[in-house]
Amino acid sequence: MAENTFPVYSADAIVNFYRTEVLTGQEAKHFTKSDLTPHPKPEAVQTLYMRVLHLLYRFRPECHSMVPLLENIQYPAYHEGATAIMSVYTRMRQFLPMCLVYDFSLNDLLAPKKQRTLTILSAIMNFLHFRKQRMEVVLEKQTKFRADMDRLQAYTKGIREAEKKIEMLTTIPPEQQAEADELAAALSELQATTMHEYQEVNVKNDSITEWKATIAEKTQKLAQVKLDVSNLKEDISKLKSQIVESPEELKSQMEKMRENVKNMKNSIEETDERVVELQNMVQGVTHTEAEIQQMCSLLQDLESSMSNTKQRLEEHQELMAQYEKKQKELKNLCMEEGQLKRALGMKQDKECKQNIRRQKKREMKEQHVQEVLGQCDQIHQKREDMADKIQEISAETQKLKTSIKSLRDVCSKETEKAQALYDTLSTSMDELHKRIEMHTMDLKLSLTKMSANF
């Protein structure tokens, strides 16, 4: 004890610590500095040690006074005083080496000294401080582990819900499967028809452009022909005014002019027919444009549905990204969990070793306690046998008392009857004596008269 690895506290600090941390109720109120200094009280020191053992090992103070009484032990009452001290001594001898105190003796219980008790109590105080710190660390780790487990469960629930949502978005219910198939078939048919009509519209547009080009060319040619005709008419009028020709030449020229006019009329009629055809074509094109607009509206509806599907796909992709993130977090949590499990495994191994040692000690203690309990059971059986005998004797005594009471009642009744008979007999005897006396008096009178007569 010359070189301590723990600080030796003052008496005030020790008293305050044990009053707050170890003792409870009236014991904490009555425990003062005078119990330790200047001369420690053995009873106070023993109660302190008992309470420390109860705090650490749940070994109640009443268990120290249990005496392992055997059948052959004489005067078991003499062992009751020493068993409590010996049990505290053995438990403290087992406990104090963990507090780095290796030389605990019976004098520390029966006749404690000031400095010695202060060092032992300060060692126990240091051990309790260390135990409290370790308990706090273990509780923090347990809370962290529980929080991580709760987070892991929440993440797994979120992942399951996201998977369910993804399945709900990707899978079509069987009730709507037929409608979805019909819509898909209708979409494919609409796409095919729209593509075919787009091709037809493009062909018609190409033909319309060609007809427009030809019409423009012919209109230009007509304009040129009209200009030429007007120019020729002007030239003819000028020539008529200037030249007087022969009638034959005029007739030939007039015939040529009539042929030209006929040709021009024929060309105009042909152009009118072409214009009518083109108008019909334009009407057909407008009709086709209306149909195309209807198809465009259908295509817009399809585009809106495709945009909705794209949005759902984007949501699906976002959910998949969240799912991947949560999987990564799960992996990280699994890694942390593995590390925590390894640390817990190491701790559990250490705890298992300690538990094995404790179990061995507990088994030894339990064997001892079982032996003590067996002896106590034997004593209790003997006591129960004696109690049964006492009950039988008390029952017999009660029976005797009841029989005595009944006999007393019968005797009292018979005495009353005898007293009544005695009273009646005494009265009858008195009456007889009185009658006898009367007869004797009568006889004496009669004798006196007879004597007088004689």
Side-chain angles (χ1 to χ4, degrees):
M1 298 297 290
E3 296 178 356
N4 291 322
T5 58
F6 53 86
V8 178
Y9 298 96
S10 63
D12 294 325
I14 289 167
V15 169
N16 290 324
F17 176 78
Y18 281 95
R19 285 181 71 180
T20 55
E21 297 292 332
V22 178
L23 297 173
T24 56
Q26 295 294 325
E27 292 180 353
K29 289 181 182 179
H30 294 297
F31 183 68
T32 57
K33 186 179 177 181
S34 62
D35 294 329
L36 298 177
T37 57
H39 299 289
K41 295 178 181 179
E43 294 84 3
V45 174
Q46 290 171 10
T47 53
L48 268 180
Y49 292 156
M50 287 180 184
R51 290 299 175 188
V52 168
L53 292 170
H54 181 247
L55 178 66
L56 293 171
Y57 299 108
R58 303 296 178 191
F59 196 81
R60 291 179 294 173
E62 295 86 9
C63 297
H64 293 288
S65 61
M66 292 176 70
V67 182
L69 295 174
L70 298 173
E71 293 182 357
N72 296 323
I73 291 175
Q74 293 180 354
Y75 306 110
Y78 295 153
H79 295 273
E80 292 179 357
T83 49
I85 295 166
M86 291 302 294
S87 67
V88 172
Y89 172 69
T90 54
R91 269 70 179 180
M92 292 299 289
R93 287 283 294 175
Q94 293 173 358
F95 163 63
L96 285 174
M98 288 190 284
C99 301
L100 302 175
V101 177
Y102 301 100
D103 53 354
F104 187 75
S105 61
L106 277 172
N107 289 322
D108 296 326
L109 286 173
L110 299 173
K113 295 180 181 179
K114 178 184 174 182
Q115 191 63 33
R116 179 74 175 169
T117 52
L118 290 176
T119 52
I120 292 167
L121 292 173
S122 60
I124 295 167
M125 184 175 171
N126 189 17
F127 179 76
L128 292 173
H129 281 303
F130 174 73
R131 178 177 175 271
K132 189 176 180 181
Q133 290 176 358
R134 293 295 95 193
M135 290 285 284
E136 289 176 356
V137 171
V138 170
L139 288 171
E140 287 178 359
K141 288 183 178 179
Q142 285 180 354
T143 53
K144 286 180 180 178
F145 181 72
R146 287 174 183 172
D148 292 331
M149 290 298 291
D150 293 332
R151 286 172 63 193
L152 206 160
Q153 289 177 358
Y155 285 142
T156 51
K157 285 182 181 178
I159 288 162
R160 287 174 184 172
E161 289 177 357
E163 287 178 352
K164 287 180 181 178
K165 286 181 181 178
I166 289 163
E167 287 179 358
M168 289 290 289
L169 290 170
T170 53
T171 57
I172 298 166
E175 296 175 355
Q176 299 177 357
Q177 188 70 37
E179 294 179 0
D181 294 332
E182 289 177 358
L183 288 171
L187 281 171
S188 63
E189 288 177 359
L190 282 170
Q191 287 177 356
T193 52
T194 50
M195 289 295 290
H196 184 67
E197 287 178 355
Y198 270 124
Q199 289 175 0
E200 290 179 354
V201 167
N202 290 322
V203 171
K204 287 181 181 181
N205 287 322
D206 293 333
S207 64
I208 287 163
T209 53
E210 289 176 356
W211 283 109
K212 283 180 180 180
T214 54
I215 288 163
E217 288 176 358
K218 287 183 178 180
T219 52
Q220 287 177 0
K221 286 179 181 180
L222 283 169
Q224 287 178 0
V225 168
K226 285 178 180 179
L227 287 169
D228 293 333
V229 168
S230 63
N231 291 322
L232 287 169
K233 284 181 179 180
E234 288 176 356
D235 292 334
I236 289 163
S237 64
K238 286 178 180 180
L239 288 169
K240 280 181 179 180
S241 64
Q242 291 177 1
I243 302 165
V244 178
E245 295 178 353
S246 61
E248 294 176 355
E249 289 179 355
L250 286 170
K251 286 179 180 179
S252 64
Q253 287 179 357
M254 286 298 287
E255 286 177 356
K256 287 179 180 179
M257 290 294 288
R258 285 174 183 172
E259 288 176 358
N260 288 324
V261 169
K262 285 179 181 180
N263 291 323
M264 291 293 288
K265 285 181 179 179
N266 291 321
S267 65
I268 287 163
E269 287 175 357
E270 288 178 357
T271 53
D272 289 331
E273 290 175 356
R274 292 284 182 88
V275 167
V276 170
E277 289 178 357
L278 287 170
Q279 286 176 356
N280 293 323
M281 292 291 286
V282 167
Q283 288 178 358
V285 168
T286 54
H287 184 69
T288 54
E289 283 179 354
E291 290 179 354
I292 287 162
Q293 286 178 357
Q294 290 178 359
M295 295 300 290
C296 287
S297 63
L298 291 170
L299 287 169
Q300 286 177 358
D301 294 330
L302 286 169
E303 285 178 356
S304 63
S305 63
M306 290 295 287
S307 64
N308 291 321
T309 53
K310 283 180 181 179
Q311 287 178 0
R312 287 182 180 178
L313 287 169
E314 287 176 357
E315 290 177 357
H316 176 70
Q317 288 176 358
E318 289 177 356
L319 288 169
M320 288 297 288
Q322 290 178 2
Y323 177 70
E324 289 176 355
K325 286 180 182 179
K326 287 182 179 179
Q327 277 186 346
K328 288 179 182 178
E329 289 178 356
L330 262 177
K331 287 180 181 178
N332 294 321
L333 288 170
C334 288
M335 294 291 287
E336 290 178 358
E337 187 180 359
Q339 291 177 359
L340 289 170
K341 282 182 178 179
R342 288 174 186 172
L344 281 170
M346 296 293 288
K347 288 179 181 178
Q348 285 176 358
D349 292 331
K350 290 180 181 179
E351 288 178 356
C352 287
K353 291 178 182 178
Q354 290 178 359
N355 288 322
I356 289 164
R357 292 175 184 172
R358 288 174 184 173
Q359 282 179 359
K360 288 181 180 178
K361 291 179 181 178
R362 285 175 185 172
E363 287 175 357
M364 295 294 288
K365 289 177 182 177
E366 286 176 356
Q367 288 179 0
H368 183 67
V369 170
Q370 285 177 359
E371 290 176 357
V372 171
L373 290 171
Q375 292 172 1
C376 291
D377 291 331
Q378 291 177 0
I379 292 165
H380 284 301
Q381 287 178 359
K382 288 181 179 179
R383 287 177 181 175
E384 288 176 356
D385 295 331
M386 292 297 290
D388 293 331
K389 289 179 181 179
I390 289 163
Q391 287 178 358
E392 289 176 357
I393 292 164
S394 63
E396 289 177 356
T397 52
Q398 286 178 358
K399 288 178 182 179
L400 289 170
K401 284 178 181 179
T402 53
S403 62
I404 288 163
K405 284 180 181 180
S406 62
L407 290 170
R408 281 179 181 175
D409 294 330
V410 171
C411 289
S412 63
K413 289 178 181 179
E414 289 179 353
T415 51
E416 287 175 357
K417 290 178 181 179
Q419 188 69 35
L421 290 169
Y422 178 73
D423 292 332
T424 54
L425 288 170
S426 62
T427 53
S428 62
M429 289 296 288
D430 291 330
E431 289 177 355
L432 285 171
H433 285 298
K434 285 178 182 180
R435 286 177 183 177
I436 290 164
E437 285 178 357
M438 290 294 288
H439 284 295
T440 52
M441 290 295 287
D442 292 330
L443 287 171
K444 283 181 180 179
L445 289 170
S446 62
L447 285 172
T448 55
K449 286 178 178 181
M450 288 292 290
S451 63
N453 290 322
F454 284 113

